[in-house]
Amino acid sequence: MLTELWNQGVRNLVEGRIVLGPGLNVFVGGNGSGKTSLLESCHVLGLGRSFRTHRLARVACSGRTEFAVAGEVQDPHHGRSRVAVEWAGQRRSRLNGQWIDGHWEIVRRLPLVAVHAGSFELLTGPPEERRRLLDWGAFYVDSGFAGEWQTWRRAHEQRNAALREQDGKLAARFETVAAAAGTRLTGMRERFTQRLAGFLCDASTAGLREGLPAQIEVSFRPGWPEAESLLEAYARSRPSDLERGFGQSGPQKADLDIRVAGRPIREASRGEQKRVLNALVVSQGLVQVASGPQGLTPLLLLDDAVAEMDETGLGGIMEAVVSLGWQCFATTVDRGWAQRTAGARPDARMFHVKQGLVTSLD
């Protein structure tokens, strides 16, 4: 749970500290007021990356080359932790006043899932976003995932470098390590997919799926033919890989196939896609809850919560927030909806955002 948030130099946000509630926190304001930037800063703090851009430098406000986001996190396993992310040409993460390698320790303390305008890429875009879902999910399901991913990635890049140099013998030397680590991390991705599929059919997501013509189906594609081992796939594809200068088989080609009533999700209506997206993201959070320390729950970010949602769909996601007991940050331009939603929940907090300034309305 994120109890406090502080921003400096983030897009159009005014520098300041925000005290957050443990349940629903609603941020209301006009377009361009800074609502999405606020959620973006939470995303950067929790996951070490933005959901709006692949370049963290763009998170800094105009005319600046650095920014910082900090907060106080509370979880049942570690208690209170002070966390921070700074950017000044490169990302640096800090935990309880100490610089740390990577961002994994903060991710463990602040599990986070998000629905935003770019989230539709998870359903209809290229496989990269779905692989990111698989990797973050596998990270929570298997404690050894980060190490296996790093081992595979290093061997994969070394193999690709050898392929670019047209050195097949050198490429083959890296295949044993890459295949072993790649096979293990693929098993972790598959276990996450199985758990995800279970929650997508579970009663806990029934309200989110209301209105869909059938169950949501997800299936995992490892990135090479299932009849082969990864080592065999490397050997088979090596001549073609040498011609192209990169590997064509392996975990870097994995994907998640998402369907409703047997049809690819890209053929569903926009409203159906939004329902599937909400159910998918909440199910991702439920996997985190089931796999993490007892009592640890994710922070749910809902950007422009009412967009492209009818009353049934919107009611489903808000009922899920309440029933699951997760902390949630929701943004909207609809002040009436914000007042009704926050007013119906005793522990809800409401904030107004205007020209980057966030003000509590409690």
Side-chain angles (χ1 to χ4, degrees):
M1 181 174 66
L2 184 61
T3 58
E4 293 183 5
L5 179 69
W6 174 80
N7 292 286
Q8 182 184 60
V10 174
R11 296 196 187 267
N12 63 333
L13 292 177
V14 174
E15 179 181 345
R17 170 177 166 269
I18 308 167
V19 179
L20 301 153
L24 177 63
N25 296 261
V26 182
F27 299 87
V28 61
N31 291 325
S33 61
K35 303 184 306 298
T36 300
S37 297
L38 182 70
L39 296 196
E40 181 183 27
S41 67
C42 296
H43 201 274
V44 170
L45 185 62
L47 297 181
R49 63 182 182 84
S50 166
F51 60 71
R52 300 168 83 180
T53 176
H54 294 296
R55 297 179 58 188
L56 276 180
R58 293 179 177 172
V59 177
C61 68
S62 178
R64 296 188 60 165
T65 58
E66 70 284 329
F67 71 85
V69 184
E72 185 173 89
V73 174
Q74 185 171 1
D75 75 86
H77 186 62
H78 302 95
R80 291 185 180 274
S81 303
R82 290 176 291 111
V83 299
V85 172
E86 296 183 11
W87 172 268
Q90 63 178 1
R91 189 195 71 196
R92 301 180 72 190
S93 301
R94 198 167 61 224
L95 175 62
N96 292 325
Q98 302 294 319
W99 297 112
I100 59 174
D101 293 330
H103 200 74
W104 297 112
E105 286 303 317
I106 294 177
V107 171
R108 289 189 175 94
R109 285 167 167 78
L110 184 59
L112 184 152
V113 291
V115 179
H116 49 83
S119 294
F120 283 98
E121 288 289 299
L122 184 62
L123 303 180
T124 60
E128 285 80 8
E129 283 299 316
R130 291 184 290 280
R131 280 197 291 273
R132 190 171 285 117
L133 170 69
L134 289 168
D135 287 343
W136 282 117
F139 170 78
Y140 284 104
V141 170
D142 286 278
S143 60
F145 178 81
E148 296 292 357
W149 189 92
Q150 290 167 346
T151 299
W152 166 78
R153 187 71 182 179
R154 184 166 52 249
H156 168 70
E157 290 176 349
Q158 290 170 326
R159 182 177 185 267
N160 273 352
L163 292 170
R164 288 192 296 271
E165 295 295 324
Q166 297 294 297
D167 192 335
K169 289 184 178 180
L170 182 59
R173 287 176 53 189
F174 298 115
E175 290 173 2
T176 301
V177 173
T183 299
R184 288 191 292 269
L185 77 84
T186 295
M188 296 173 184
R189 285 173 167 178
E190 189 163 17
R191 283 192 289 277
F192 164 69
T193 303
Q194 291 168 351
R195 295 190 185 185
L196 185 72
F199 282 116
L200 282 169
C201 298
D202 190 72
S204 57
T205 59
L208 300 169
R209 293 180 276 111
E210 189 174 347
L212 291 175
Q215 297 279 21
I216 304 169
E217 307 157 14
V218 292
S219 57
F220 175 64
R221 297 176 179 175
W224 70 91
E226 294 184 8
E228 294 179 321
S229 69
L230 181 52
L231 191 60
E232 291 169 340
Y234 280 149
R236 173 187 52 77
S237 66
R238 196 183 308 131
S240 178
D241 292 348
L242 283 165
E243 292 179 7
R244 294 174 179 264
F246 60 88
Q248 301 168 81
S249 299
Q252 79 281 5
K253 296 293 185 180
D255 201 355
L256 193 65
D257 185 42
I258 305 170
R259 294 174 178 264
V260 175
R263 296 182 296 117
I265 188 59
R266 63 177 53 88
E267 296 178 8
S269 71
R270 191 71 166 182
E272 289 174 337
Q273 289 177 355
K274 189 66 180 282
R275 280 177 166 77
V276 171
L277 181 60
N278 286 341
L280 193 64
V281 170
V282 170
S283 294
Q284 178 191 1
L286 288 167
V287 173
Q288 293 176 0
V289 171
S291 306
Q294 186 174 4
L296 183 65
T297 58
L299 166 60
L300 174 62
L301 305 180
L302 297 176
D303 191 30
D304 201 3
V306 302
E308 301 182 79
M309 290 290 285
D310 57 22
E311 286 297 323
T312 301
L314 188 56
I317 187 66
M318 300 317 298
E319 287 173 14
V321 168
V322 174
S323 63
L324 294 170
W326 297 355
Q327 187 180 35
C328 175
F329 299 168
T331 68
T332 182
V333 297
D334 188 337
R335 192 180 186 92
W337 176 84
Q339 290 174 329
R340 291 192 304 273
T341 302
R345 294 161 176 81
D347 65 341
R349 298 202 63 187
M350 187 169 164
F351 301 83
H352 182 242
V353 187
K354 184 176 182 179
Q355 296 180 343
L357 179 64
V358 183
T359 306
S360 175
L361 296 178
D362 294 335

